[in-house]
């Protein structure tokens, strides 16, 4: 079965590469899987680090995917109003087995109208954006609502990928991939969520994100007002 499965991960300027490379590594570990990195054109896109990413397939040449995945990063803010991206996602979603996202990638799916009336996960700092698009925000690490599977922030991409493989193939296959990756997290600090992080650490991050968060909210309201 896996020999016929096609996975596609959207790449774009200012992507958080770990949002994409986590599920990419999982999907690529499925024997026989066909994995694409998809963007408007075949040209390198700059991530939010020094790493540039070269797409393997342009929108116009992308086959129908079984799984479409939208990673996150600050670049998703502008994608919420990008009709070329939104139309591509709508077209792929119509024939995909699973429509998925990591981190703020769910905001792009929401802007495309692909999560309306559903629940979805996103990065904790963007949790108040989803309701703008008629989506119920979830604080689950991985949220499943029908064939929509959305992950929380950044590192949840591996969990998202393993969940997708479990749903698409079977649990044993997903567990074998988890073992191959030695995905056995034991973080050195209990500061990985706003619920567990020290108050001063949370306040520090909230202050750093304040301007970007305000911009994101403005862009989301503008995208929602345009209709879907």
């Amino acid at each position: 079965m896996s020999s016929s499965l096609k996975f596609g991960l959207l790449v774009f300027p200012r992507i958080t590469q770990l949002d994409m490379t986590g599920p990419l590594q999982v999907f690529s570990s499925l024997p026989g899987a066909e994995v694409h990195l998809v963007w408007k054109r075949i040209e390198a896109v700059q991530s939010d680090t020094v790493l540039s990413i070269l797409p393997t397939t342009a929108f116009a040449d992308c086959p129908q995917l079984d799984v479409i995945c939208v990673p996150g990063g600050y670049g998703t803010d502008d994608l919420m109003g990008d009709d070329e991206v939104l139309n591509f996602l709508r077209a792929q979603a119509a024939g995909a087995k699973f429509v998925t996202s990591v981190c703020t990638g769910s905001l792009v799916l929401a802007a495309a109208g692909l999560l309306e009336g559903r629940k979805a996960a996103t990065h904790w700092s963007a949790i108040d954006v989803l309701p703008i698009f008629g989506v119920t925000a979830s604080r689950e690490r991985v949220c499943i609502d029908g064939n929509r599977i959305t992950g929380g922030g950044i590192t949840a991409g591996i969990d998202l990928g393993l969940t997708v493989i479990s749903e698409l193939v079977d649990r044993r296959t997903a567990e074998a991939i988890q073992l191959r990756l030695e995905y056995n997290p034991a973080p050195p600090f209990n500061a990985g969520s706003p619920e567990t992080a020290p108050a001063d650490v949370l306040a520090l991050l909230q202050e750093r994100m304040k301007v970007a968060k305000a911009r994101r909210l403005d862009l989301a309201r503008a995208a929602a007002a345009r209709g879907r």
Side-chain angles (χ1 to χ4, degrees), residues 59-78:
F59 285 177
D61 301 318
C62 185
Q64 174 60 60
L65 302 167
D66 295 294
V67 176
I68 178 72
C69 181
V70 183
Y74 281 119
T76 57
D77 293 353
D78 293 320

Side-chain angles (χ1 to χ4, degrees), residues 74-89:
Y74 281 119
T76 57
D77 293 353
D78 293 320
L79 296 188
M80 288 189 290
D82 190 321
D83 286 332
E84 187 175 358
V85 171
L86 301 182
N87 287 334
F88 171 76
L89 293 174

